[in-house]
């Protein structure tokens, strides 16, 4: 019997997370591109999964690119997003960039605590 499974935000999130486990960062990015084609809404959880997949494979530039894509998607990155990008930079020995992002994440936490 053939299963008729319609892709949704949950299936994309699971598939992108699986790409991280399989160390297939480019697969995660391809799935992220397919998301809108399938009429699904991007979420911070889905983007975080893709950022994490990039970080797992030391693709710090891709992780940073995704961080910049958040605003184009009208999605607010959270502290987890910044943590994943910082981790990607750290694994790739991009310590200057990691420290710069750490400052941004720190400012974000201070602003959140004031509201």
């Amino acid at each position: 019997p053939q299963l008729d499974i319609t892709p949704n935000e949950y299936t994309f999130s699971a598939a992108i997370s699986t790409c991280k486990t399989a160390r297939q960062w480019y697969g995660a990015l391809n799935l992220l591109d397919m998301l809108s084609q399938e009429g699904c809404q991007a979420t911070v959880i889905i983007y975080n999964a893709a950022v994490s997949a990039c970080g797992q494979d030391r693709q710090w530039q891709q992780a940073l690119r995704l961080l910049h894509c958040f605003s184009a998607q009208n999605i607010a990155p959270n502290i987890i997003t910044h943590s994943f990008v910082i981790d990607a930079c750290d694994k790739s020995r991009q310590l200057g960039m990691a420290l710069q992002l750490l400052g941004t994440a720190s400012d974000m936490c201070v602003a959140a605590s004031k509201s």
Side-chain angles (χ1 to χ4, degrees), residues 6-101:
T6 304
N8 60 32
E9 289 81 1
Y10 300 107
T11 56
F12 272 102
S13 182
I16 291 171
S17 292
T18 300
C19 288
K20 175 190 174 188
T21 303
R23 301 183 68 88
Q24 301 289 324
W25 64 272
Y26 50 87
L29 296 183
N30 287 335
L31 287 166
L32 197 58
D33 287 340
M34 289 175 54
L35 186 73
S36 62
Q37 296 171 9
E38 292 294 329
C40 296
Q41 183 68 34
T43 66
V44 70
I45 293 170
I46 291 171
Y47 262 86
N48 282 351
V51 169
S52 182
C54 291
Q56 181 72 21
D57 255 1
R58 296 187 174 120
Q59 298 297 317
W60 70 274
Q61 293 161 319
Q62 295 296 331
L64 192 59
R65 183 183 68 80
L66 287 175
L67 178 63
H68 294 298
C69 288
F70 272 72
S71 60
Q73 295 291 324
N74 290 324
I75 301 171
N78 58 24
I79 196 66
I80 295 168
T81 311
H82 283 87
S83 177
F84 286 152
V85 178
I86 291 167
D87 185 56
C89 291
D90 181 50
K91 286 178 180 176
S92 303
R93 300 188 187 273
Q94 298 296 319
L95 301 181
M97 181 60 69
L99 289 173
Q100 182 179 347
L101 289 165

